[in-house]
Structure formats: structure tokens, C-alpha cells
Amino acid sequence: FSIEDANARVISRGRDFRSLIRQGQQLAAASDAVLSITVSPEQQYRAWTFGLLPESREVQRQAVRYSVYPAILDQHDHVKLVEFNNLIHAEQVTLKGVLRLLILVLPQQYKFARQQFSSHRELMLLGHGLSGNQSLADGLSERAFRECFLAEQQVLPRSGDDFNRLIELYRSELNTTVMKMTENMLSLFKDHHRVKQCISTLNAPGFAPAKADIQQQLLGLLSAGFLQDLSQPWFGYLPRYIKALARRVDKLSANVQRDLTLMQQVQPFLTGYQQLVSLKPLVQVELTQLKWMIEEFRVSLFAQELKASMPVSAKRLTEQLERAKKEAG
């Protein structure tokens, strides 16, 4: 048996299951870690041939009884089944595992998507460097699969029949999804490029606070894993957030003081958010909501014409910050 952390690194291994579970419980209690338990020998799957995937189950091994949350773990060229001690994390992992299975069983469709993205020279040029260690074409293709097959799924597939039904329902929509994503990502990358170019020319000391804030916001919105990690509707809102940043930059040189005043309205909530993130809370539902409410607040302040997607104000943000603090404990 082995115990792995949330990044699939083996942190303990042994034959005595009771002792291993005790170690896992101690590690989780000490660090609020999310741990997975892998039962050896492992099986590698490249299709949904492992039957039902229950949301949770009670197990007893070597007289130890406890609850586990089965998940499908992406291993790039295959998936494997693991069991987590946390339902939310199990579902997050399973989403990526199901996505990998879709790519593995639909190789021609994936090849088509990748060719469409990689052949778009302007898209590849403007988006260069924004996909971390993964190639941009692969990152966009994987996201297109997610948008096509999984974006609207409230419940993840739990059986081979559910999985095959997804394929039959949405396979024909992949071409449309790729075209729509190309359009949206091209718009996003163009605005991102324009923002980066504009702030590179703002070298006067008076621009320093705004420049640092804009750079930090860009990093937060387009982090290395944004194509894989962002859920809807936030992923779909990215072009609007970057466009709002572009509008802010356009107005900045004409009225630096106004920009500073608006930035100060955002700062208390941004600081509160960053402090909570540093605590690495296990559950981040309210914290995630706070992050995107801050982005909508920025839109309402710096680019009102683009309109926020939700009612947002300093009062609402204060209330959301309190909810996030309670969630973090």
C-alpha cells in the first residue's frame, strides 16, 4: 500500500495497512493535507473499463473501518484509481481524470483540435509563454475538450455508460467549440499583449503603484495553469477582465490620481484575499467567490462600460470577505 499527497508524490509506503492509515491520519491532521491512498498493484487505464466510480464508500482493511472518496487520477498517458480523504478534492481530481480519458479515447478528435490551434499563427505568437510547461496548442486543445464535453456537467460521470453518453451527446460540437475558443482566446491574447506593451512604457515614478497592481492582476488572471484550472463561468469571463485592464491602461496616463483612488478602493479586499490564500485552507469555496468578486469590482470601477456580471460593491465584498474568513477557520 502507499499514501500520496495531492501532487501524487508517494509520502509513505508499507504492507501494514493499519499503520499506514494511522500515519496518513497524523499527516493530514498536522498539515490539513489532502491525501490519497493507492492500493497496489496499480492498474493503468486508457478507457473507462473499471466499472462504477462511487462518490464515496465505507471500507474495512485490516480491521480499520473508514470512509474514502474514489477518484480518477490523470497520469497523462493513462489514468489510475485512487482514494482521497476529501470529497471536494476527489471531484477536482476526477474532473481532470475524466478529461484525460476523453482525450485518450478520442485521439483523432484531439489531433484535429490541436491542428486547428497550432496552425493559427497569430494565436500561437500572442499566446506564447502563457501555458507554463505545456505547449499552448496542447493547453488549448485540452481546454476545448473540457468546454465541449464537461463544461455544463453538474455531475461527473460515474459509470462507463455515463461516460459514453457524454461522448455521444457532445462529440459533434467539438468543431464549434474550437472555433469559439480560438476567437475568444485571440481577443484575450491581443488585449494582454497590448496591456503588457503599454505598461512597459510607464517608467515615471508616479505610475509605479498602478503598474505594480496591473502586473499583479495579470499574473493572477493568467497564471501558468489558467487553461487547466479555471472553472466556468470565470474562464469565460477572462477576455472581459483583460479588456477591462486594457481600458484602465488607456485612461491611466491622463489621470493617474483617479486610478490611484480607485485602486485604493480595491486594496483592502485584495489584501484580505491574499492573507487568506497564504493560509492554504482546505476548503476554498467562499475564498474563490471572493477572488472573482474582486475582479468584478475592478470592472465596475475601471471599465464600467463592460458591466460586471453580478451585483458588487464594497459592502458586498466586506460581507464576502467575512464568509471567506469563517470558511478558513
Side-chain angles (χ1 to χ4, degrees):
F1 303 102
S2 65
I3 292 182
E4 300 179 358
D5 66 11
N7 296 312
R9 293 189 294 263
V10 175
I11 57 177
S12 188
R13 192 191 303 272
R15 294 182 178 180
D16 186 337
F17 190 78
R18 184 192 294 272
S19 174
L20 205 58
I21 288 297
R22 190 159 49 247
Q23 290 178 44
Q25 290 171 337
Q26 290 170 353
L27 287 166
S31 62
D32 284 334
V34 177
L35 303 176
S36 70
I37 304 159
T38 302
V39 181
S40 298
E42 296 177 11
Q43 271 195 277
Q44 298 180 358
Y45 299 98
R46 293 176 177 81
W48 196 302
T49 56
F50 42 82
L52 293 175
L53 183 79
E55 183 177 280
S56 65
R57 63 191 183 99
E58 293 286 324
V59 297
Q60 182 168 332
R61 293 176 183 144
Q62 296 184 4
V64 181
R65 188 172 183 82
Y66 60 99
S67 296
V68 295
Y69 303 95
I72 304 170
L73 182 64
D74 176 17
Q75 298 285 272
H76 190 66
D77 64 346
H78 66 277
V79 302
K80 68 178 182 179
L81 300 183
V82 295
E83 296 166 344
F84 284 94
N85 63 344
N86 178 275
L87 174 60
I88 293 175
H89 193 75
E91 291 193 337
Q92 291 170 344
V93 168
T94 295
L95 174 65
K96 294 181 179 180
V98 171
L99 176 60
R100 179 59 58 195
L101 281 176
L102 286 164
I103 292 169
L104 289 171
V105 302
L106 296 171
Q108 293 304 313
Q109 288 80 359
Y110 184 80
K111 181 179 179 181
F112 159 78
R114 196 182 188 287
Q115 287 176 336
Q116 294 299 304
F117 289 124
S118 62
S119 64
H120 198 299
R121 188 172 180 277
E122 186 178 19
L123 184 71
M124 293 295 102
L125 182 64
L126 291 172
H128 179 71
L130 290 177
S131 56
N133 295 327
Q134 187 180 40
S135 76
L136 182 60
D138 282 320
L140 291 170
S141 301
E142 290 186 10
R143 186 70 203 203
F145 261 64
R146 177 171 170 177
E147 291 301 303
C148 181
F149 294 102
L150 296 170
E152 302 303 323
Q153 295 303 308
Q154 298 298 319
V155 180
L156 290 169
R158 294 282 172 184
S159 69
D161 287 343
D162 291 343
F163 180 76
N164 291 331
R165 196 174 298 115
L166 273 182
I167 293 174
E168 292 306 312
L169 282 173
Y170 299 111
R171 186 204 302 250
S172 63
E173 297 181 15
L174 183 60
N175 185 41
T176 301
T177 302
V178 168
M179 292 174 61
K180 183 178 179 181
M181 262 198 65
T182 299
E183 180 182 347
N184 290 341
M185 290 297 100
L186 184 60
S187 172
L188 184 153
F189 293 160
K190 282 181 177 179
D191 283 329
H192 172 264
H193 182 68
R194 185 159 69 87
V195 169
K196 295 279 283 186
Q197 279 192 321
C198 288
I199 62 174
S200 69
T201 66
L202 302 177
N203 297 317
F207 292 123
K211 186 174 181 178
D213 185 58
I214 290 168
Q215 289 172 328
Q216 182 184 53
Q217 187 182 0
L218 280 177
L219 287 173
L221 289 173
L222 301 181
S223 60
F226 83 96
L227 286 170
Q228 295 79 27
D229 297 336
L230 289 188
S231 59
Q232 291 288 12
W234 316 118
F235 181 80
Y237 292 162
L238 277 179
R240 180 166 53 87
Y241 295 146
I242 301 299
K243 192 171 292 293
L245 256 179
R247 300 283 175 88
R248 175 185 177 184
V249 170
D250 289 341
K251 302 171 186 175
L252 181 58
S253 59
N255 200 335
V256 179
Q257 188 56 48
R258 176 180 179 277
D259 188 276
L260 181 61
T261 299
L262 296 178
M263 189 173 69
Q264 288 171 342
Q265 293 184 45
V266 179
Q267 195 58 48
F269 309 111
L270 187 59
T271 300
Y273 170 77
Q274 291 167 341
Q275 289 172 344
L276 290 175
V277 167
S278 70
L279 299 176
K280 299 181 179 179
L282 190 60
V283 179
Q284 299 188 9
V285 176
E286 301 295 348
L287 186 59
T288 299
Q289 182 69 12
L290 175 63
K291 169 186 172 69
W292 298 112
M293 285 180 69
I294 290 171
E295 294 302 331
E296 294 296 340
F297 192 47
R298 281 168 157 159
V299 171
S300 73
L301 293 175
F302 293 103
Q304 292 181 2
E305 64 276 14
L306 297 181
K307 298 181 181 179
S309 68
M310 65 177 79
V312 65
S313 64
K315 180 176 182 294
R316 291 176 187 269
L317 277 167
T318 300
E319 294 169 351
Q320 184 60 34
L321 179 57
E322 288 304 310
R323 285 191 285 270
K325 286 179 179 177
K326 289 180 181 178
E327 177 184 67

